[in-house]
């Protein structure tokens, strides 16, 4: 599979998933999720997918510190409703990384262990874009994503589909669009704000 080479420069997210260990995926339950993995399940790379990945990357570091995040043991809340703007895409990415789902995910083995349902919430009454909560300690962190501090995704998009778009604009669009995504990753500390509770 050919893809943008800068994807390989992006830090992966490492988690421990006890369900993966229990079911024999590997010996220790350690899972490494890359941005390319997320691009594959989302089907594309854009400012929203990149932002959701960065929310997870920086939010989980703030939530767990030097510990490895526990996949399936994190509550994820999003401030906006699922069908508002691109919130559903953000939730989809965060679900893939954290294991959290609404009512559609794995319900656990007999006895309820490893349940992944009722851990993902939209339209939550929170004061940040996203909030993560550790189920073991109840520690919380909030995360805001502000891509507009460094890029203008809609301007780039309209440059290729607007009435004034030239053939050259359309031809160069894919490269310019992924350059924009690359810029977001290079400026992750600017576009992501972590709020400690």
């Amino acid at each position: 599979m050919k893809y943008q080479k800068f994807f390989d420069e992006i830090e992966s997210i490492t988690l421990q998933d006890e369900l993966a260990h229990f079911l024999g995926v590997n010996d220790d339950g350690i899972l490494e999720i890359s941005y390319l993995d997320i691009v594959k399940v989302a089907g594309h790379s854009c400012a929203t997918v990149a932002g959701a990945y960065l929310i997870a990357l920086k939010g989980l570091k703030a939530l767990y510190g030097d510990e490895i995040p526990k996949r399936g043991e994190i509550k994820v809340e999003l401030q906006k409703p699922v069908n508002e703007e691109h919130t559903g895409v953000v939730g989809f990415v965060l679900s893939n990384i954290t294991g959290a789902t609404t009512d559609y995910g794995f319900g656990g083995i007999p006895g309820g262990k490893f349940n992944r349902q009722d851990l993902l919430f939209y339209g939550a009454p929170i004061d940040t874009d996203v909030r993560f909560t550790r189920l073991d300690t109840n520690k919380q962190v909030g995360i805001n994503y502000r891509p507009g501090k460094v890029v203008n995704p809609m301007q780039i998009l309209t440059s290729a589909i607007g009435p004034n778009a030239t053939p050259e604009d359309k031809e160069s669009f894919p490269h310019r669009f992924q350059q924009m995504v690359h810029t977001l990753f290079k400026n992750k500390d600017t576009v992501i704000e972590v709020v400690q509770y």
Side-chain angles (χ1 to χ4, degrees):
M1 173 182 169
K2 293 183 178 179
Y3 56 89
Q4 297 291 324
K5 292 307 177 187
F6 76 84
F7 290 1
D8 291 333
E9 303 169 8
I10 299 167
E11 182 180 352
S12 294
I13 299 173
T14 300
L15 307 103
Q16 185 167 36
D17 192 326
E18 288 302 322
L19 176 61
H21 173 63
F22 176 72
L23 296 177
V25 171
N26 53 24
D27 292 336
D28 55 11
I30 299 296
L31 302 180
E32 185 177 335
I33 300 174
S34 69
Y35 182 62
L36 179 59
D37 293 330
I38 293 302
V39 168
K40 287 178 181 179
V41 295
H44 64 287
S45 168
C46 69
T48 301
V49 173
Y53 187 87
L54 285 171
I55 286 169
L57 178 67
K58 292 185 67 67
L60 293 177
K61 281 186 176 182
L63 189 63
Y64 282 87
D66 293 332
E67 298 177 60
I68 298 177
K70 304 291 187 182
R71 191 171 189 272
E73 300 180 27
I74 304 159
K75 182 167 79 169
V76 179
E77 299 169 279
L78 295 94
Q79 185 183 65
K80 294 179 179 177
V82 65
N83 56 357
E84 184 175 318
E85 297 179 354
H86 304 298
T87 305
V89 177
V90 176
F92 173 78
V93 171
L94 296 180
S95 176
N96 273 276
I97 294 171
T98 67
T101 67
T102 54
D103 58 358
Y104 60 83
F106 182 58
I109 62 174
K113 192 174 183 181
F114 305 127
N115 173 53
R116 303 294 165 88
Q117 294 180 6
D118 300 317
L119 292 177
L120 177 64
F121 300 89
Y122 295 94
I126 58 177
D127 55 9
T128 53
D129 295 340
V130 175
R131 184 169 68 187
F132 293 145
T133 304
R134 289 180 59 160
L135 299 185
D136 57 348
T137 65
N138 288 323
K139 179 181 178 181
Q140 297 181 321
V141 296
I143 309 99
N144 291 314
Y145 173 52
R146 300 292 180 264
K149 288 184 175 182
V150 296
V151 298
N152 188 334
M154 189 55 65
Q155 184 180 55
I156 296 172
L157 180 61
T158 56
S159 74
I161 63 174
N164 298 320
T166 66
E168 291 78 15
D169 292 332
K170 295 175 183 179
E171 183 178 358
S172 66
F173 169 72
H175 175 70
R176 291 186 290 114
F177 196 76
Q178 291 308 311
Q179 275 190 320
M180 177 265 297
V181 174
H182 194 187
T183 298
L184 289 168
F185 279 105
K186 289 191 293 186
N187 292 275
K188 61 181 182 293
D189 293 334
T190 300
V191 300
I192 294 290
E193 175 194 18
V194 175
V195 179
Q196 299 276 3
Y197 290 102

